[in-house]
Amino acid sequence: MLEPLIAKFGLAADWQARGSSLTAALATLTVTQSVGGVLGGVFISVWGGLKHQRVLGVLVPMIVSGLALAAFGFSATVLGACAALLILGLTTPAMNAHSQSIWQSQVPPAMQGRVFSVRRLIAQFTSPLSTALAGLLAARYAGGSVAVAAGLLLAGVAAAQLFNPALRRVEDGPKVTAQGAD
């Protein structure tokens, strides 16, 4: 929601000075973030992720992602915005892989279908709401300001969770096997 607004209003001076167009700037931003996602996916696939304290594999990329979103909001050049979106794309696969592995290890196999479908429902239900909220905030303020605030909020909340003992011990519970909890 914010990317086209930031490209049109926040980055216009840069892409116009280079003789480019809004369409080309948006394509560049989208391709860069997508390349980051693919590279992040390849990296997490080759590495395999953290084996212990996987919650750090969720929280640390969330912090980096939030800071990258804030940097994207601050960007005045397409190159700077691309760097921020590349990092944003790189962090998403690590966050998702670690989060999913935690859920799979903590939810009994017989319950995983139900639990994961509820997780998906919540994610799909909140997506339109967050898009609408971002649009309303961007209309009132500016796309870049909303991205900066959202990024800093994400980074701050994730960083605060590093000090949450209950969350840090989320994997200390009984491990799930094919027969159920140990």
Side-chain angles (χ1 to χ4, degrees):
M1 175 56 153
L2 298 176
E3 191 172 313
L5 294 173
I6 292 170
K8 184 172 183 175
F9 299 110
L11 303 176
D14 183 56
W15 55 259
Q16 288 172 347
R18 298 174 187 279
S20 190
S21 67
L22 174 60
T23 305
L26 278 171
T28 302
L29 295 172
T30 301
V31 167
T32 303
Q33 185 171 7
S34 299
V35 167
V38 169
L39 292 175
V42 168
F43 175 74
I44 197 72
S45 295
V46 170
W47 171 39
L50 296 171
K51 306 302 181 234
H52 304 286
Q53 293 205 341
R54 290 175 289 187
V55 72
L56 293 177
V58 177
L59 293 176
V60 172
M62 282 179 83
I63 294 166
V64 173
S65 179
L67 294 175
L69 179 59
F72 173 62
F74 272 127
S75 296
T77 66
V78 173
L79 183 60
C82 282
L85 289 177
L86 179 72
I87 293 168
L88 197 62
L90 283 167
T91 59
T92 303
M95 267 187 293
N96 291 341
H98 287 100
S99 174
Q100 190 64 29
S101 68
I102 292 168
W103 279 94
Q104 286 176 334
S105 70
Q106 298 300 311
V107 175
M111 296 295 296
Q112 286 183 0
R114 291 179 216 152
V115 171
F116 298 161
S117 67
V118 170
R119 286 182 63 219
R120 173 62 83 181
L121 174 70
I122 292 168
Q124 288 178 337
F125 177 77
T126 58
S127 181
L129 296 176
S130 63
T131 301
L133 179 60
L136 290 171
L137 289 172
R140 172 96 168 114
Y141 304 103
S145 300
V146 174
V148 169
L152 293 177
L153 181 64
L154 174 61
V157 168
Q161 294 310 304
L162 290 171
F163 303 101
N164 179 342
L167 186 64
R168 292 292 303 268
R169 291 190 312 268
V170 73
E171 296 179 79
D172 293 348
K175 300 295 180 209
V176 174
T177 63
Q179 292 79 30
D182 289 339

